[in-house]
Amino acid sequence: MMMVLAVGLLEPRGPVAETIADLWWLLLGLGTAVFVVFAVLLARGLSRTPGEAEPDVRKRVGRWLVGGGVLMPAIVLVIVFAATVWAMRVMPTTASRDALVVEIVGHQWWFEVHYPDEAVTTTNELHLPVGRRVVLRLTSADVIHSFWVPELGGKMDMLPDDTNALVLQADEPGEYYSRCAEFCGLHHADMKMLVIAEPPDRFAAWVAAQR
Ligand SMILES: [Cu+2]
């Protein structure tokens, strides 16, 4: 049986998702480099003839402990920390006044979508105009849910007693899914919403057709 694994995170279709994907690749690169160095050292150690202790073995062990146990993790952590802070800085948290505002309410087990300025309400279907910032105001009517379209941006919880804002932008037309990313009960796995990114004129036509 062939298993198809969706890796939308690595197929970014917008600037926010691109930043997250870049960070992911950096982590993979660093992890791979550390693993390769470790594997080479292990192979070298294993291929040695046992019993021949070198005179300066204590000094060498100490050097490896400082280098591999302190220095190398410190360098890796500093790089990862700097890259994460940079990614957080370029990640938009606010949007200009012309941004499209969409309110999404999580229910067990469906999504309710409001476009307050357009006076449009839909169920399990989110339309987004390509190339325009969108502010999603996320909340929940019952338990905690989570909104996530990996191709467009990060994950954000939908809380029953608060509203979280998520700023997104789609760079090209496409159809995606937002699957609930927080276990929310029996039908959690079925809780998904179709997300359609479309050119602005098609989005306007869709809005007009809803009225
Ligand atoms: Cu849910």
Side-chain angles (χ1 to χ4, degrees):
M1 196 181 78
M2 206 179 81
M3 208 174 80
V4 180
L5 184 69
V7 279
L9 174 74
L10 301 179
E11 291 160 17
R13 295 288 185 270
V16 182
E18 231 156 71
T19 308
I20 296 171
D22 288 347
L23 195 57
W24 191 92
W25 282 111
L26 173 74
L27 292 178
L28 180 72
L30 284 172
T32 307
V34 169
F35 174 76
V36 167
V37 169
F38 168 78
V40 168
L41 291 174
L42 184 68
R44 270 181 54 184
L46 287 176
S47 61
R48 278 214 170 147
T49 25
E52 292 173 33
E54 294 166 41
D56 60 343
V57 72
R58 271 171 180 276
K59 225 165 100 185
R60 288 189 50 176
V61 167
R63 242 182 5 225
W64 279 110
L65 283 180
V66 173
V70 181
L71 209 62
M72 193 192 58
I75 292 168
V76 170
L77 286 177
V78 166
I79 295 172
V80 171
F81 180 72
T84 305
V85 170
W86 180 83
M88 285 168 75
R89 275 178 57 110
V90 300
M91 209 80 80
T93 51
T94 55
S96 54
R97 284 178 173 275
D98 66 330
L100 175 73
V101 174
V102 188
E103 293 167 359
I104 307 178
V105 185
H107 295 264
Q108 281 173 316
W109 291 272
W110 56 285
F111 293 97
E112 181 187 343
V113 184
H114 294 286
Y115 294 80
D117 296 333
E118 288 77 11
V120 168
T121 298
T122 66
T123 299
N124 287 340
E125 198 172 310
L126 174 66
H127 286 245
L128 302 174
V130 165
R132 184 171 164 196
R133 281 273 164 93
V134 182
V135 181
L136 303 177
R137 294 200 207 287
L138 307 168
T139 184
S140 167
D142 36 54
V143 299
I144 301 175
H145 302 277
S146 189
F147 176 93
W148 191 28
V149 184
E151 294 88 352
L152 298 182
K155 202 183 284 179
M156 185 68 86
D157 273 353
M158 311 174 84
L159 308 172
D161 51 1
D162 209 349
T163 300
N164 280 334
L166 182 67
V167 182
L168 288 183
Q169 184 176 317
D171 274 348
E172 48 189 281
E175 290 192 3
Y176 315 103
Y177 277 105
S178 170
R179 288 186 172 80
C180 182
E182 179 70 48
F183 181 70
C184 58
L186 200 58
H187 294 284
H188 162 69
D190 303 323
M191 187 172 166
K192 64 178 181 179
M193 169 165 60
L194 180 64
V195 179
I196 301 169
E198 53 198 356
D201 53 331
R202 283 195 57 178
F203 174 75
W206 174 79
V207 168
Q210 302 307 304
R211 290 180 179 147

